C-alpha cells in the first residue's frame, strides 16, 4: 500500500468520477468512470457493464492503466489532480453478483443507484458487470490542481 | 474523422491529456484549453510530461453536474485522439479521430440499447472460453 497524505485520500474517497485509461495496441483510451477507493488495501475498483466492456478487454491485453482524479464537481473536496498508475486485473467470474460487494461505495457516490437496481430486469445487461481492480504502483499528486508545477510523487 | 463540434467542445471547462509513457503506463494530466477563431485547439502546457512535441495523445473533455442530493447528471464527454505540437511555449493539438457521448443527445437507455452488440460479443466470447 502506497502511503499518501490525507488530502490525496480525501480526493480518492470523494471525487465522483475519474479519468480511467487503458492501452489498446499502444494507444491510450481514456474514459470517465466511477471509481471506488478501498482504504484497507489502497487499491481501486471500477466496474464495467458488458455493454461497455472494451476497457476490460484492453486490460487483459495490457494491464497497465491509470486513473486521474481531476474533477471535484459534486464533491465537497478541494480541487486537486491526482494520477494513479497501476496494474489492473479484470474479473468476470461472476458477472451477476461479483460487483455487488462494492454497492456500498457506489451508493455513497450515486445515492439514486437503488432506484436503477429496482429496475434491474429493465437494464439486464447493464447489470452484468466486470470488476476491474487496480493495484497502484505510483501516485503523482498536484495539490490545488496546478499542473504547471511538478507533482509530488509517491511510491516511485 | 467524425466531425468535431467545436461549439460543443468550447463548453467544456478543461481538458485531460493522456499519452503512454516510456514505462508503458498511461500518463494523464489535466490542463486548461482554448479554441482559437481558426478552430485551432491550444492546450496550456503542463510541467509533465516535459516533452509533448509530436506526441500521439488523446485528449478527454469531460463534464458532469453534481446533484443537490448527491451523485451527478448532465454527463457528456468528447475523447479526441491526435498529435500535440509545441511552439514557443504553447501547445497546439491537431485532432484526427474522436468518440463521444452526451446523454442529452443520446439518453442513457438508448446508449445501452445501441451498445447491445458489444455485450453480446462479450458474452459470446465468455461462453466459448467456458466451453473450450
Amino acid at each position: 500500500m502506497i502511503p499518501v497524505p490525507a488530502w490525496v485520500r480525501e480526493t480518492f474517497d470523494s471525487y465522483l468520477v475519474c479519468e480511467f485509461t487503458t492501452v489498446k495496441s499502444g494507444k491510450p483510451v481514456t474514459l470517465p468512470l466511477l471509481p471506488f477507493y478501498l482504504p484497507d488495501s489502497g487499491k481501486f475498483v471500477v466496474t464495467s457493464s458488458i455493454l461497455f466492456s472494451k476497457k476490460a478487454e484492453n486490460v487483459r491485453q495490457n494491464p497497465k492503466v491509470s486513473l486521474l482524479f481531476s474533477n471535484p464537481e459534486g464533491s465537497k473536496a478541494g480541487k486537486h489532480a491526482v494520477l494513479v498508475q497501476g496494474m489492473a486485473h479484470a474479473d468476470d467470474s461472476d458477472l451477476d453478483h461479483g460487483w455487488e460487494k462494492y454497492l456500498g461505495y457506489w451508493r455513497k457516490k450515486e445515492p439514486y443507484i437503488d432506484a436503477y437496481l429496482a429496475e434491474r430486469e429493465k437494464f439486464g445487461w447493464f447489470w452484468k458487470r466486470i470488476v476491474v481492480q487496480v493495484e497502484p504502483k505510483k501516485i503523482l499528486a498536484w495539490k490545488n490542481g496546478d499542473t504547471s508545477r511538478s507533482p509530488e510523487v509517491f511510491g516511485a | 474523422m467524425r466531425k468535431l463540434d467545436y461549439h460543443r467542445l468550447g463548453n467544456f471547462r478543461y481538458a485531460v491529456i493522456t499519452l503512454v509513457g516510456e514505462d508503458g503506463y498511461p500518463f494523464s494530466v489535466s490542463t486548461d484549453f482554448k479554441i482559437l477563431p481558426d478552430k485551432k485547439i491550444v492546450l496550456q502546457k503542463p510541467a509533465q510530461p516535459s516533452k509533448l512535441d509530436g506526441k500521439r495523445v488523446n485528449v478527454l473533455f469531460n463534464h458532469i453536474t453534481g446533484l443537490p442530493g448527491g451523485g451527478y447528471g448532465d454527463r457528456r464527454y468528447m475523447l479526441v485522439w491526435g498529435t500535440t505540437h509545441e511552439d514557443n511555449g504553447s501547445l497546439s493539438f491537431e485532432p484526427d479521430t474522436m468518440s463521444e457521448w452526451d446523454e442529452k443527445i443520446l439518453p442513457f437507455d438508448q446508449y445501452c440499447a445501441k451498445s447491445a452488440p458489444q455485450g453480446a460479443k462479450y458474452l459470446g466470447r465468455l461462453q466459448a472460453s467456458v466451453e473450450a
Side-chain angles (χ1 to χ4, degrees):
Chain A
M1 183 166 170
I2 299 175
V4 290
W7 66 270
V8 173
R9 282 197 305 277
E10 187 191 12
T11 300
F12 294 153
D13 269 333
S14 56
Y15 277 31
L16 299 180
V17 294
C18 73
E19 293 82 29
F20 184 82
T21 302
T22 57
V23 179
K24 182 183 181 184
S25 305
K27 193 170 96 168
V29 183
T30 306
L31 291 168
L33 283 185
L34 179 76
F36 306 136
Y37 175 58
L38 313 183
D40 291 343
S41 65
K43 294 180 180 177
F44 295 82
V45 165
V46 296
T47 70
S48 172
S49 163
I50 59 166
L51 295 169
F52 310 109
S53 53
K54 286 181 182 170
K55 63 185 89 60
E57 292 170 7
N58 295 347
V59 162
R60 289 204 177 86
Q61 298 294 316
N62 184 343
K64 291 183 175 179
V65 302
S66 69
L67 302 87
L68 178 69
F69 295 78
S70 68
N71 189 351
E73 176 69 23
S75 79
K76 291 186 173 70
K79 178 170 173 49
H80 306 296
V82 184
L83 175 67
V84 178
Q85 295 175 312
M87 296 294 281
H89 172 73
D91 181 0
D92 59 6
S93 59
D94 186 356
L95 291 174
D96 292 313
H97 302 291
W99 54 272
E100 289 176 346
K101 73 178 90 161
Y102 304 105
L103 252 179
Y105 295 95
W106 196 334
R107 202 171 277 128
K108 193 175 149 197
K109 293 195 171 183
E110 293 189 291
Y112 40 75
I113 198 63
D114 291 304
Y116 285 94
L117 262 175
E119 294 190 297
R120 191 164 176 162
E121 297 304 317
K122 185 175 164 188
F123 294 99
W125 282 9
F126 177 75
W127 296 110
K128 287 189 180 296
R129 304 190 70 82
I130 304 151
V131 175
V132 178
Q133 190 165 98
V134 180
E135 181 177 1
K137 297 296 181 189
K138 188 175 175 184
I139 296 172
L140 300 93
W142 293 265
K143 197 167 189 181
N144 303 318
D146 183 1
T147 57
S148 66
R149 295 170 180 265
S150 293
E152 294 178 61
V153 181
F154 306 96
Chain B
M1 158 172 124
R2 185 174 178 172
K3 197 172 178 189
L4 187 56
D5 184 329
Y6 286 87
H7 176 69
R8 286 196 293 117
L9 186 65
N11 290 329
F12 289 94
R13 290 183 195 153
Y14 74 104
V16 171
I17 308 169
T18 302
L19 77 170
V20 179
E22 288 178 4
D23 58 4
Y25 284 99
F27 188 103
S28 290
V29 61
S30 51
T31 193
D32 293 326
F33 76 102
K34 60 185 175 184
I35 304 169
L36 302 183
D38 63 359
K39 294 185 175 173
K40 188 175 178 184
I41 300 169
V42 178
L43 302 160
Q44 175 99 26
K45 192 179 177 315
Q48 288 188 15
S50 56
K51 290 180 183 171
L52 278 165
D53 191 34
K55 294 289 185 186
R56 296 282 303 156
V57 303
N58 76 35
V59 181
L60 178 72
F61 303 88
N62 183 42
H63 176 273
I64 57 169
T65 299
L67 300 174
Y72 55 95
D74 196 9
R75 295 169 291 180
R76 60 179 185 269
Y77 73 80
M78 289 183 175
L79 175 59
V80 189
W81 286 271
T83 307
T84 44
H85 302 282
E86 289 187 52
D87 184 23
N88 291 326
S90 78
L91 187 65
S92 63
F93 176 56
E94 181 185 358
D96 54 45
T97 57
M98 69 165 294
S99 67
E100 65 172 319
W101 179 54
D102 182 331
E103 69 177 328
K104 285 185 175 162
I105 296 172
L106 183 66
F108 182 68
D109 55 345
Q110 292 176 34
Y111 188 32
C112 287
K114 189 180 172 188
S115 304
Q118 174 67 28
K121 200 167 144 188
Y122 194 89
L123 285 180
R125 268 206 293 267
L126 199 59
Q127 182 67 26
S129 69
V130 169
E131 289 172 355

